[in-house]
Amino acid sequence: TFYGAYEIFSAGYFFENQTHFYTITVIVATTASIVLNVLLIPLLGVWGSAIAFCFSYFVLALLSYIFGRRFFRVDHNWGRILKAILINAGLAAAALIARQIGSYWVGIAAAVPIVASYPWLMLLLFFSQEERQMARNYLVRFNPTLARFIPGS
């Protein structure tokens, strides 16, 4: 999610050929990753590395937003962005919890349906009725059978 945000936010300085901001952003995010890995891995093991990884991509997105706005202002719909982040985080947490159930294969079997529910949750909770109808109209041209499964359209 944070990498996607970085891709969108960094467009401003890339459009204006101000790529030195990219260098600054990557150096700061990489430094944050290294420092957090050194601090968190001894305490949390692989989870410390995962936290450092996520935080470094957050820094990458944040700095890209700050620098990118200098050249290309976009009014982002922060409510929808937060909704997408919460859906992703909720499913990731549910899948991680499900993986702890029983043996390895039982955990995988419990996590797969959770992860597979992602497109449906996005269709139901994230996209508007108008957006679902547009997706259905698009799919009807290529796969009418699949288009029938888009909820609420």
Side-chain angles (χ1 to χ4, degrees):
T1 301
F2 291 131
Y3 184 76
Y6 148 75
E7 287 286 340
I8 293 167
F9 298 151
S10 66
Y13 54 81
F14 280 114
F15 286 159
E16 296 296 323
N17 203 26
Q18 299 291 319
T19 54
H20 61 280
F21 288 110
Y22 171 74
T23 304
I24 294 167
T25 300
V26 169
I27 288 171
V28 172
T30 303
T31 302
S33 178
I34 292 168
V35 168
L36 285 174
N37 271 299
V38 167
L39 294 173
L40 295 177
I41 289 175
L43 298 172
L44 303 171
V46 70
W47 288 105
S49 181
I51 292 167
F53 178 82
C54 289
F55 184 77
S56 68
Y57 272 90
F58 170 76
V59 169
L60 190 73
L62 178 65
L63 290 178
S64 292
Y65 176 75
I66 290 168
F67 294 143
R69 282 184 59 91
R70 291 181 179 189
F71 306 103
F72 188 71
R73 286 193 172 267
V74 175
D75 291 326
H76 299 286
N77 187 335
W78 292 108
R80 286 192 79 189
I81 292 171
L82 179 61
K83 189 185 285 189
I85 289 170
L86 290 175
I87 291 169
N88 280 290
L91 283 175
L96 286 172
I97 291 168
R99 290 272 324 270
Q100 304 305 313
I101 297 172
S103 70
Y104 175 79
W105 292 110
V106 171
I108 293 292
V112 167
I114 293 169
V115 173
S117 69
Y118 175 75
W120 303 110
L121 284 173
M122 290 299 284
L123 281 169
L124 289 170
L125 302 175
F126 182 76
F127 293 109
S128 69
Q129 178 71 25
E130 179 183 338
E131 291 168 327
R132 287 192 296 268
Q133 188 60 47
M134 286 173 33
R136 188 175 199 285
N137 292 341
Y138 180 78
L139 277 176
V140 162
R141 294 186 302 180
F142 300 103
N143 191 335
T145 304
L146 184 59
R148 288 185 297 187
F149 292 102
I150 293 183
S153 57

